[in-house]
Amino acid sequence: SVVSHATPTINTDLYDVFRITAQTEAITSMTTNLSGTPAHGDMLIIEATGTAGRAITWGASFEASTVALPTTTTGTAMLTNTFLWNADTSKWRLVQSV
């Protein structure tokens, strides 16, 4: 996990769950420092907790499904996003956000 970062570094080969705590700034890109070589169906959970509502920009490596990508954290509540790797689009597809 990291404490507050505008462009968090996530290596999906090393993490299945990635936590961002005490987010004090907008997340300007979840894609910029994203790395790893996922296989179709791999899961990635990203948990983000802000110190207030904070904007989230996902970037080109993430896509919505029937679930829209959230654009902000909600106050100080943890936002948990579950993604599956979609090999057809080469993107992390959001399947749940709570």
Side-chain angles (χ1 to χ4, degrees):
S1 67
V2 298
V3 175
S4 193
H5 204 290
T7 55
T9 299
I10 304 171
N11 182 332
T12 62
D13 292 340
L14 302 177
Y15 302 107
D16 293 325
V17 179
F18 189 81
R19 298 182 74 201
I20 304 168
T21 61
Q23 187 69 25
T24 60
E25 60 191 312
I27 298 172
T28 57
S29 178
M30 283 288 199
T31 295
T32 298
N33 294 318
L34 183 67
S35 63
T37 310
H40 187 75
D42 280 358
M43 186 180 340
L44 174 64
I45 297 172
I46 299 177
E47 300 173 342
T49 305
T51 56
R54 304 294 176 196
I56 303 171
T57 302
W58 292 96
S61 294
F62 295 88
E63 65 182 5
S65 60
T66 56
V67 181
L69 291 166
T71 57
T72 61
T73 62
T74 306
T76 58
M78 179 190 299
L79 174 64
T80 302
N81 302 286
T82 304
F83 296 90
L84 294 178
W85 182 252
N86 182 349
D88 292 337
T89 60
S90 297
K91 295 183 182 206
W92 288 101
R93 184 175 184 84
L94 183 65
V95 295
Q96 181 181 27
S97 183
V98 293

